[in-house]
């Protein structure tokens, strides 16, 4: 578990991200020592680019993308991005909601490694990614 100073630093970071990108951030919270940002689907690429390039964020390391299914919700899927800033010693989880028919913009222009993870998420959940260079099944 993180000490109070580390939790306060994550809260400051959440406030910074939300203030800098109010168009892209729906909400955020720190829970169990982890910062989660809930993002607007249509602004996800710009938010991810900001998180990588902003000097207070420096989330230069892309960890992965995964999907989550909540069948009782209207927008039943979440696409979840995990990023790491080795310089700042922070991690962030970014979540965006979508439905079966609405594509999430691809993050491959920011992190080429997102290609495989988006293909896996498409294959396992059927989540579409707009502007993906090669969105086809990878596992099934």
């Amino acid at each position: 578990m993180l000490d109070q100073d580390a939790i306060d630093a994550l809260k400051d970071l959440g406030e910074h991200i939300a203030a800098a990108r109010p168009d892209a951030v729906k909400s955020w919270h720190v829970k169990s020592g982890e910062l989660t940002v809930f993002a607007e689907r249509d602004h996800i690429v710009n938010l991810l680019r900001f998180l990588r390039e902003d000097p207070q964020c420096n989330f230069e390391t892309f960890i992965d993308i995964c999907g989550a299914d909540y069948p009782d919700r209207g927008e039943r899927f979440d696409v979840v991005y995990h990023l790491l800033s080795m310089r700042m010693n922070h991690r962030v989880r970014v979540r965006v909601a979508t439905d079966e028919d609405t594509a999430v913009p691809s993050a491959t222009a920011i992190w080429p490694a997102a290609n495989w993870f988006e293909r896996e998420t498409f294959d396992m959940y059927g989540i579409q990614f707009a502007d993906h260079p090669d969105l086809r099944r990878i596992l099934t």
Side-chain angles (χ1 to χ4, degrees):
M1 190 68 177
L2 297 178
D3 64 16
Q4 191 59 46
D5 289 339
I7 291 171
D8 290 343
L10 288 175
K11 289 179 180 178
D12 290 344
L13 182 59
E15 289 173 1
H16 168 71
I17 295 166
R21 297 308 314 259
D23 59 326
V25 176
K26 289 181 177 182
S27 64
W28 63 272
H29 70 252
V30 175
K31 185 175 180 182
S32 301
E34 297 179 350
L35 173 60
T36 301
V37 175
F38 299 90
E40 292 286 348
R41 178 183 48 243
D42 295 338
H43 297 282
I44 189 63
V45 172
N46 290 331
L47 178 61
L48 293 172
R49 186 172 286 113
F50 169 80
L51 292 172
R52 185 187 69 189
E53 296 173 358
D54 180 74
Q56 286 184 258
C57 297
N58 279 311
F59 288 105
E60 68 277 352
T61 305
F62 165 81
I63 303 297
D64 69 6
I65 299 171
C66 61
D69 187 4
Y70 302 93
D72 295 332
R73 290 189 339 198
E75 291 186 313
R76 69 181 281 181
F77 298 113
D78 276 2
V79 177
V80 186
Y81 304 81
H82 296 101
L83 309 175
L84 169 66
S85 172
M86 293 180 68
R87 268 186 238 166
M88 308 303 283
N89 193 26
H90 288 163
R91 293 180 181 268
V92 66
R93 175 183 300 118
V94 181
R95 297 178 74 132
V96 77
T98 194
D99 57 31
E100 294 94 340
D101 302 317
T102 309
V104 175
S106 176
T108 56
I110 302 166
W111 289 289
N115 184 319
W116 192 92
F117 291 98
E118 287 179 353
R119 285 179 63 191
E120 179 185 45
T121 303
F122 163 70
D123 195 5
M124 301 307 291
Y125 293 95
I127 298 169
Q128 300 287 323
F129 289 91
D131 300 320
H132 189 281
D134 186 22
L135 193 61
R136 61 189 162 99
R137 298 204 177 275
I138 196 167
L139 300 171
T140 62

